[in-house]
Amino acid sequence: MEVIKYTPINSDGKIKGYLTIKTSEGFEMKGFKLIEGENGLFVGAPSQKGKDEQWYDMVWIPKELNQELVDLASNQIDLSNAVNSNDIPF
C-alpha cells in the first residue's frame, strides 16, 4: 500500500490533509483525511452525507491498518516539507 497523493490543508482545524491511497492490488481510494486528534494523528475514512444529514464512512479501517496509513502519511508529509523547503532528501 502507498500514498500516491497528499494534499495538505493550511488551516488551524483538525484536518491536516487529504490522502489518495493505492493498494498492492491496484485499487486507488480517494478522500482519506489525516486528522489531528486528542491522542495524535489518525486517518479518517472517506465519508458521505446520507439523506438523514448524518455522515457515513465509505471504508472501514482496522486499527492496525490505520496506524500503517498514519506512518505512510507522515512519511509523505516529511518528503513534501523537504521538497517545499528546497532540502531535497536524496
Side-chain angles (χ1 to χ4, degrees), residues 71-89:
D71 294 342
L72 287 170
S74 296
N75 290 339
Q76 186 71 28
I77 291 169
D78 291 342
L79 288 175
S80 177
N81 289 339
V83 170
N84 289 337
S85 68
N86 294 324
D87 183 17
I88 307 298

Side-chain angles (χ1 to χ4, degrees), residues 1 21 23 29 32 43 59-72:
M1 180 172 13
I21 295 169
T23 68
M29 296 177 279
F32 288 88
V43 174
V59 177
W60 174 255
I61 307 171
K63 189 173 185 174
E64 307 80 34
L65 185 57
N66 195 305
Q67 186 56 52
E68 182 180 344
L69 291 173
V70 168
D71 294 342
L72 287 170

